[in-house]
Amino acid sequence: MKHTIKIILLVFFLISCQSDSGVLQTLFEFPQELKEVSAVEVTPKSDLIWTVEDHGNAPKLYAFDAKGTLLRTIAVAATNEDWEELTSDKEGNLYIGDFGNNDNVRKDLCIYKVNAADLGKDEVQPSQQTTFFYPEQTEFPPKTSEQFYDLEAFFESNGTFYLFTKNRSSASDGATSLYTVPNLPGNHAAKKVGSFITCPDFRSCAVTSADISRNGKKIALLSASHAWIFSDFKKDNWFGGKVQQIDFGDHSHKEGICFAGNSKLYVTDERKKKNGGKLYLLDLDQLKSKP
């Protein structure tokens, strides 16, 4: 019986440490009070690691250093209906994606802009609000076979927001649809410009975050169990080049990914009971060097 218990404990230990198996390296654990970390971003103007929490949490931005020390908390004068993602532009302005839409019923999808110059304040007013809608959606909610309009992933590039949907349809094939919205104030029709098939297992492969590298030569998509790195594309035809699928070897509620340069990425997951709630490093160069 003692041997059986030891074996069970050993298996549990190995499973809990999978994120340090060489694919993802744990950097630090977020404070216990941040239970639903839903995004991560590093702007070009700073080394601070920014995050937010999603639906039901305070409309606040949190900034950490690379050791996990909370350096700044900013109250944003906006509603946190369902903050799911962060991105930034070349000037260091930060954007909050309030567009989580699990039930496909929202008509108030929006993106808040926080100026780089305001990221040292305790309280900020968004300098821009961009709202958008999907022209293809005519029912709220649509029937279960057409629930394509949840969203947790986006990034900004050259004045355009690129949105990657989370397919919740009853017959989901793992497709994420790519939409564009101009980085401008006002209400805009999102334009569908492409799609990519991850895998049919929604729990493992639904897209939860995205980012573009500093040099614009790679983009990354994230799911609970995988990342996809796209490269060698022309202009913004992100799905037209090469794709590398990375299997993390584990499954946790991964919600955020961002480039910290051109080959290193940060990944976050939400805390579930005693697991998760951490920041990880994904080093693409290290993966290449492995036999």
Side-chain angles (χ1 to χ4, degrees):
M1 182 64 180
K2 289 183 179 179
H3 292 296
T4 302
I5 293 173
K6 288 180 179 179
I7 292 172
I8 292 172
L9 290 174
L10 176 60
V11 170
F12 177 81
F13 174 78
L14 291 173
I15 292 174
S16 67
C17 292
Q18 281 181 338
S19 288
D20 285 306
S21 62
V23 179
L24 292 179
Q25 174 190 347
T26 301
L27 296 181
F28 63 78
E29 184 173 349
F30 289 101
Q32 289 291 320
E33 57 268 26
L34 296 184
K35 293 182 171 55
E36 295 183 301
V37 167
S38 62
V40 63
E41 180 65 12
V42 177
T43 75
K45 302 293 184 178
S46 169
D47 292 329
L48 292 178
I49 301 167
W50 293 94
T51 190
V52 293
E53 292 189 282
D54 57 18
H55 175 71
N57 291 286
K60 294 182 178 181
L61 288 161
Y62 303 92
F64 293 83
D65 65 15
K67 295 181 179 180
T69 303
L70 178 60
L71 300 179
R72 195 170 302 160
T73 300
I74 303 175
V76 182
T79 300
N80 183 348
E81 181 62 33
D82 196 358
W83 291 8
E84 288 289 356
E85 179 73 300
L86 291 172
T87 191
S88 59
D89 60 24
K90 292 179 180 179
E91 289 70 44
N93 302 307
L94 199 60
Y95 298 87
I96 304 166
D98 187 354
F99 42 48
N101 193 19
N102 288 4
D103 298 324
N104 284 228
V105 297
R106 290 186 62 181
K107 296 182 180 181
D108 58 351
L109 306 171
C110 69
I111 298 166
Y112 297 109
K113 177 181 180 180
V114 179
N115 286 343
D118 292 335
L119 291 175
K121 300 178 179 179
D122 295 329
E123 299 180 1
V124 297
Q125 181 78 35
S127 61
Q128 175 180 299
Q129 184 172 339
T130 301
T131 60
F132 63 93
F133 60 94
Y134 304 103
E136 299 88 352
Q137 184 175 7
T138 58
E139 297 181 318
F140 299 83
K143 53 188 176 182
T144 56
S145 61
E146 297 179 359
Q147 293 192 1
F148 309 128
Y149 305 107
D150 191 13
L151 177 63
E152 296 188 12
F154 85 139
F155 60 76
E156 200 275 352
S157 178
N158 297 320
T160 298
F161 295 117
Y162 294 89
L163 320 175
F164 301 83
T165 63
K166 188 175 184 180
N167 187 338
R168 289 186 176 273
S169 67
S170 56
S172 176
D173 60 356
T176 179
S177 294
L178 170 59
Y179 285 85
T180 61
V181 170
N183 182 359
L184 295 169
N187 190 35
H188 305 274
K191 181 180 178 182
K192 187 175 179 179
V193 295
S195 63
F196 174 74
I197 303 292
T198 56
C199 83
D201 183 1
F202 178 85
R203 183 171 177 269
S204 297
C205 294
V207 173
T208 58
S209 187
D211 200 24
I212 187 168
S213 61
R214 294 281 175 84
N215 61 12
K217 294 184 177 181
K218 298 186 185 76
I219 73 164
L221 299 183
L222 177 72
S223 75
S225 301
H226 303 82
W228 293 268
I229 308 299
F230 300 84
S231 60
D232 293 340
F233 40 73
K234 293 183 179 180
K235 295 184 178 180
D236 61 352
N237 182 21
W238 313 122
F239 300 146
K242 297 178 182 178
V243 58
Q244 175 189 10
Q245 178 176 305
I246 299 170
D247 186 348
F248 295 137
D250 71 349
H251 186 288
S252 67
H253 200 165
K254 297 179 183 69
E255 287 277 299
I257 193 168
C258 77
F259 278 93
N262 296 315
S263 61
K264 291 181 171 59
L265 299 101
Y266 291 137
V267 174
T268 64
D269 56 6
E270 288 189 4
R271 181 173 284 105
K272 295 294 182 182
K273 296 182 179 179
K274 294 184 179 180
N275 296 319
K278 297 176 181 178
L279 180 80
Y280 307 95
L281 176 67
L282 173 61
D283 189 332
L284 300 181
D285 289 337
Q286 189 178 66
L287 290 181
K288 288 180 183 179
S289 66
K290 289 188 175 183

